[in-house]
Amino acid sequence: MRIKVEWVSEAPVVLSGQEPVADYPALVAVQEAGECTFLEPLQLDFTVEKEFNHIRVSGRVATRVQLACCRCLVDYETDLVANFTVFYSKASDMPVEEEVALTDEDLVSAPYDGDFIDFTSEIEAQVLLEIPYKPLCNEECKGICSKCGADLNSGECGCDRSGSGLAFSALKNFTVKR
Ligand SMILES: [Zn+2]
Ligand SMILES: [Zn+2]
């Protein structure tokens, strides 16, 4: 998604729409790496307005993904929603130190150049931030039995697991079919 700079004024403009994940190379890359599967296009809702010497963009990106639980290895679906604000300044007006001063990830300062502001890299970055590093199907997920591999969420398997370390990391590459 991009906007022509001359359309931006002090009166906020609302941009809404859906875009395919295929338009976002960084998201295609995580999908190809097997980290998650995007189930829906990106729903984009942006408010763009001119403010002082920058352009303020308040954005919301929503989609739905399938992830594999890191404990029980079962695939589950979840909504991903990112809300963020970006202040775009003309690259030539942007003091160098501003880029390092703003480190809060939800409040980003970015440069633009030319007649358009392209939101692609910001959208990608915000969606990637929302993908959990250790996905859990449920906060209370009991995982799988380290002895027999049974999904403990569907009941106790009866194994004696006392003293056996739960070696989830060794099981990461397994897929459990139910
Ligand atoms: Zn789980
Ligand atoms: Zn067991």
Side-chain angles (χ1 to χ4, degrees), residues 69-74 76 135-138 141-143 151 153:
C69 176
C70 69
R71 286 192 198 150
C72 69
L73 315 179
V74 167
Y76 69 99
L136 282 179
C137 63
N138 175 326
C141 176
K142 297 188 182 76
D151 183 346
N153 297 306

Side-chain angles (χ1 to χ4, degrees), residues 138-155:
N138 175 326
E139 286 296 321
E140 250 100 84
C141 176
K142 297 188 182 76
I144 59 175
C145 171
S146 57
K147 290 228 161 130
C148 71
D151 183 346
L152 298 174
N153 297 306
S154 38

Side-chain angles (χ1 to χ4, degrees), residues 83-136:
N83 289 293
F84 54 93
T85 300
V86 189
F87 297 102
Y88 284 93
S89 305
K90 219 178 183 126
S92 53
D93 294 348
M94 201 162 166
V96 182
E97 62 271 27
E98 200 181 336
E99 286 181 77
V100 286
L102 287 173
T103 51
D104 185 339
E105 284 163 336
D106 293 322
L107 200 69
V108 189
S109 184
Y112 71 88
D113 230 345
D115 297 334
F116 288 90
I117 298 179
D118 189 329
F119 303 123
T120 304
S121 60
E122 203 48 51
I123 291 169
E124 288 177 334
Q126 294 295 335
V127 172
L128 294 179
L129 280 174
E130 294 301 322
I131 297 174
Y133 175 62
K134 292 198 167 177
L136 282 179

